């Protein structure tokens, strides 16, 4: 038993009580009680988000439980050990734990444990990007749940199959499984789960561009969420309605739903949801060239990211701020914002974002005839883009360099970068840009 610090979300008294109970059970030689209490302590740590400490408790319980005498407890603890290992990113050992748990559960013919271990294994495989393997394992677990008429697990598996077919880019199968999950949730009277599955169907339709279907699902899900007073679900659904109406070209409705999502997130202090919806709304308004409406949102966004010390979001807000200033032709302010974002990206070693910022600054500097600084930024963007194998960004900046060096009367360099841009566009497969770059090259050679 470790005396590590208590997670803040659980009171010290809870842990002290469990530790005292474990000490007392040990003193009596009551291993069965010690195992049960270690398991309870591990679950408490897991709920508090302290997976390493949870793993310590589960491992302690596994040492004490008799594999031969209590195979059910041993299988349960292996599954919990796997969940803790998964949480700390040790996927290899987690997979071993889930497989051992499943083997034991099958040996003792325990369908619930067999089903759960397969579900955990599939979730791990999905997280690792092994979607086809996950689907196969989920089908095995579904067969068990159907055989033993376990509706709760069946509902969960249908939902997970829907998630995986969404990732597998098979919308028809995803919708099919989400519908089965919804019907099972309805049968069980689980309105929260029903709301979740309807929302997921809306998400799939949105990915397909079927905005009418998406909106119908979101509106139905919103009624459930409102009745349940589930504000997090409401924010999620409002975000879906915002995106669906924006995609459908219904711009006024999109703006209404976007503002509602932001306001509701603010009311319940859900800062992550608020900043995510602010970012989406700002991108939308920039696309609509409604730049004047952007700055109050950006100001609120910057306030949140400073309060929450979220450097990733701070970079994105600075990036959007630069875009908004650029659209207003306030180029000095745009460069200042992008430079600040570049500094943060450099500190975080976020090379894709660094490449993006160098590229954006290169374009604006060229427009303001600051050619030498534009060349510096574009060359850095090309270098990073090539390292990241981002041929599109490399090509865009190589073309810009060709123009820049032509303006600087350095014709050979201009030709070289134009030729490099053609090769980069060939990698992308953009025929129109290849033709444009070739026309520029012909002009440079004439």
């Amino acid at each position: 038993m470790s005396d590590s610090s208590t997670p803040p979300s659980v009171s010290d008294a809870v842990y002290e009580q469990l530790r005292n109970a474990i000490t007392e059970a040990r003193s009596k030689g009551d291993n069965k009680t010690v195992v049960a209490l270690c398991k309870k302590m591990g679950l408490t740590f897991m709920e508090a988000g302290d997976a390493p400490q949870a793993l310590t408790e589960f491992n302690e319980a596994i040492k004490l439980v008799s594999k031969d005498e209590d195979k059910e407890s041993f299988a349960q603890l292996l599954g919990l050990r796997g969940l803790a290992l998964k949480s700390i990113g040790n996927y290899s050992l987690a997979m071993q734990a889930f497989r051992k748990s499943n083997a034991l559960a099958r040996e003792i013919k325990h369908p619930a444990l067999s089903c759960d271990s397969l579900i955990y294994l599939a979730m791990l495989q999905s997280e690792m990007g092994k979607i086809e393997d996950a689907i196969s394992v989920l089908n095995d677990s579904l067969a068990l749940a159907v055989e033993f008429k376990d509706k709760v697990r069946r509902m969960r598996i249908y939902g997970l199959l829907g998630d995986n077919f969404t990732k597998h880019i098979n919308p028809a199968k995803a919708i099919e499984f989400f519908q089965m999950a919804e019907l099972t949730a309805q049968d069980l009277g689980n309105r929260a789960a029903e709301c979740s599955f309807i929302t997921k169907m809306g998400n799939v339709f949105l990915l397909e561009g079927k905005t009418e279907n998406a909106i119908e699902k979101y509106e139905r899900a919103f009624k459930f969420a409102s009745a349940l007073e589930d504000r997090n679900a409401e924010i999620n659904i409002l975000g879906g309605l915002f995106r669906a109406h924006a995609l459908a070209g219904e711009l006024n409705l999109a703006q209404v739903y976007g503002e509602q999502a932001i306001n509701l997130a603010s009311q319940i202090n859900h800062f992550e949801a608020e900043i995510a919806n602010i970012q989406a709304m700002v991108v939308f308004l920039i696309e609509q060239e409604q730049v004047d409406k952007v700055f109050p949102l950006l100001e609120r966004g910057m306030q949140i990211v400073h309060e929450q010390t979220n450097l990733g979001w701070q970079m994105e807000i600075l990036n959007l701020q630069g875009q908004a200033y650029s659209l207003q032709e306030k180029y000095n302010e745009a460069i200042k914002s992008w430079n600040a974002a570049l500094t943060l990206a450099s500190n975080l070693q976020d090379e894709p974002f660094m490449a993006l910022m160098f590229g954006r600054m290169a374009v604006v500097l060229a427009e303001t005839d600051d050619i030498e600084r534009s060349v510096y930024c574009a060359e850095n963007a090309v270098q990073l883009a090539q390292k990241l194998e981002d041929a599109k960004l490399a090509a865009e900046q190589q073309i810009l360099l060709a123009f820049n060096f032509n303006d600087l009367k350095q014709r050979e360099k201009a030709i070289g970068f134009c030729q490099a841009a053609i090769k980069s566009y060939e990698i992308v497969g953009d025929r129109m840009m290849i033709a444009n770059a070739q026309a520029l090259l012909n002009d440079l050679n004439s």
Side-chain angles (χ1 to χ4, degrees), residues 234-255:
E234 284 183 332
I235 293 165
N236 184 28
I237 296 161
L238 286 168
L241 283 164
F242 159 68
R243 296 191 302 276
H245 282 291
L247 189 61
E250 296 162 345
L251 306 182
N252 289 335
L253 276 173
Q255 195 164 329

Side-chain angles (χ1 to χ4, degrees), residues 325-346:
Y325 280 132
S326 178
L327 284 171
Q328 290 186 327
E329 298 184 1
K330 295 179 179 178
Y331 296 127
N332 288 336
E333 288 90 339
I335 293 295
K336 185 178 178 181
S337 295
W338 287 331
N339 247 326
L342 177 63
T343 299
L344 286 174
S346 180

Side-chain angles (χ1 to χ4, degrees), residues 55 58-59 62 77-86 93 97:
L55 181 60
F58 295 142
N59 283 340
I62 285 170
L77 287 164
L78 283 170
L80 292 172
R81 181 174 189 269
L83 287 174
L85 286 163
K86 175 177 173 286
L93 286 180

